[in-house]
Amino acid sequence: MRVFVTGASGFIGSAVVRNLLDAGHQVLGLARSDASASALAAIGATPHRGDLQDLPSLRSGAELSDGVIHTAFIHDFAKFKENCEIDRAVIETLGAVVAGTERPLVVTSGTGLLANAGRITEADRTTPGAGHPRVASEEAAAAAVAKGARVSVVRLPPSVHGVGDHGFVPLLIGLAREKGIAAYVGDGANRWPAVHRLDAADLFRLALEKGEADARYHGSAEDGVPFREIAGVIGRRLGLPVVSLSPEEAAGHFGWFAHFAAMDNPSSSDRTRQTLGWRPTAPGLIADLDQPAYFGS
């Protein structure tokens, strides 16, 4: 297949591109800059200039392809709601191109949308109009399906890890360095699901090749890693005390991230493994985190 990939030069998207190429697919990768275009060309992908707010560029990329994988998102939490609505418009645009065809569109969401609801499964759905702005992506996917598009959703866990990670775990490492402690909330038993970026890339390809319309797939290689274990590795690696904080103390320590630090989000991927044949093989979060590369040495 010729696959249009958004976020093609990003932490997850670049792994998706390499996985697709290794599997014999051709890749048309969205590139915002000359540097991104050069990086894509260097590994055998075809650059397609544009960005998430250039809807005509997205439309033409999808029109030139046999399938689409949408991994890009604007990670500016100061404008989170606005960026979620941008993502809605992107999915609407891509969905309109593939509607009425068998061309697959795979979009990205998060298991965290259903946090603090017990162990969630792929059958669990977000509530229309729910308070979490990121639900816009799944709402847009469902709307595209209703118009005849073959859209499936990959829900990623809070930690997609691996060397080069610049997501939540590096943020926690930075906070620990700044504050002088590696902290968790309460007893730290709240759980984060996790996946290595290479396993996530494999899942996106499988969803493209085998995914069903309106299906939800969970990229949870690990159902849930206790947050205190993450804090424990960070504290040991940095030589800092590992400290339990009350919810009130956590608000001051973590700031806007306090919600995520306290989030309990155990997530099953049983159906994903059964239907797609997904078999994660990369190291788990704790083993991956417990290495010098994560700490700049």
Side-chain angles (χ1 to χ4, degrees):
M1 296 171 64
R2 181 177 173 88
V3 186
F4 179 45
V5 179
T6 71
S9 59
F11 178 65
I12 298 170
S14 60
V16 172
V17 169
R18 289 182 180 275
N19 187 290
L20 290 167
L21 293 171
D22 289 345
H25 298 291
Q26 297 177 328
V27 174
L28 184 67
L30 186 67
R32 289 185 299 162
S33 66
D34 290 342
S36 294
S38 296
L40 288 168
I43 61 172
T46 301
H48 180 79
R49 292 304 296 267
D51 60 55
L52 294 185
Q53 294 180 276
D54 180 0
L55 297 182
S57 74
L58 300 176
R59 189 177 298 112
S60 64
E63 288 171 345
L64 290 168
S65 303
D66 304 309
V68 181
I69 296 178
H70 172 46
T71 69
F73 187 80
I74 302 172
H75 292 283
D76 178 356
F77 285 94
K79 298 180 178 179
F80 186 55
K81 185 173 182 178
E82 177 184 333
N83 292 331
C84 290
E85 289 305 313
I86 289 172
D87 202 56
R88 186 196 298 273
V90 169
I91 294 170
E92 288 174 348
T93 299
L94 297 172
V97 174
V98 303
T101 76
E102 282 301 305
R103 288 185 287 171
L105 166 60
V106 182
V107 304
T108 308
S109 181
T111 61
L113 288 176
L114 293 157
N116 305 315
R119 185 173 184 263
I120 67 168
T121 74
E122 296 89 340
D124 292 314
R125 296 299 178 102
T126 54
T127 303
H132 198 305
R134 192 71 164 95
V135 77
S137 302
E138 294 203 17
E139 289 177 348
V145 169
K147 295 177 181 178
R150 182 183 160 192
V151 186
S152 60
V153 176
V154 169
R155 287 175 176 158
L156 292 177
S159 177
V160 180
H161 56 90
V163 174
D165 182 2
H166 48 264
F168 284 174
V169 169
L171 185 150
L172 290 171
I173 293 170
L175 271 175
R177 284 193 168 113
E178 176 189 345
K179 306 281 188 174
I181 60 171
Y184 57 86
V185 184
D187 63 5
N190 59 296
R191 295 152 291 181
W192 275 15
V195 66
H196 194 283
R197 67 190 285 259
L198 298 182
D199 287 327
D202 207 38
L203 175 55
F204 275 104
R205 176 181 56 80
L206 290 169
L208 177 87
E209 296 172 343
K210 302 180 182 181
E212 300 174 356
D214 205 31
R216 303 293 186 268
Y217 300 111
H218 282 185
S220 305
E222 296 176 279
D223 279 20
V225 180
F227 193 88
R228 65 172 173 263
E229 293 186 14
I230 301 170
V233 174
I234 293 172
R236 177 165 49 79
R237 279 283 178 181
L238 295 179
L240 296 174
V242 181
V243 178
S244 168
L245 300 179
S246 69
E248 295 74 23
E249 292 169 330
H253 177 86
F254 291 108
W256 66 267
F257 194 73
H259 164 76
F260 297 100
M263 181 171 66
D264 188 43
N265 187 213
S267 305
S268 168
S269 60
D270 291 349
R271 182 181 181 277
T272 299
R273 297 177 194 234
Q274 291 165 4
T275 58
L276 298 183
W278 184 51
R279 299 290 182 268
T281 58
L285 174 57
I286 296 302
D288 194 37
L289 173 59
D290 196 3
Q291 58 176 318
Y294 255 100
F295 297 88
S297 59

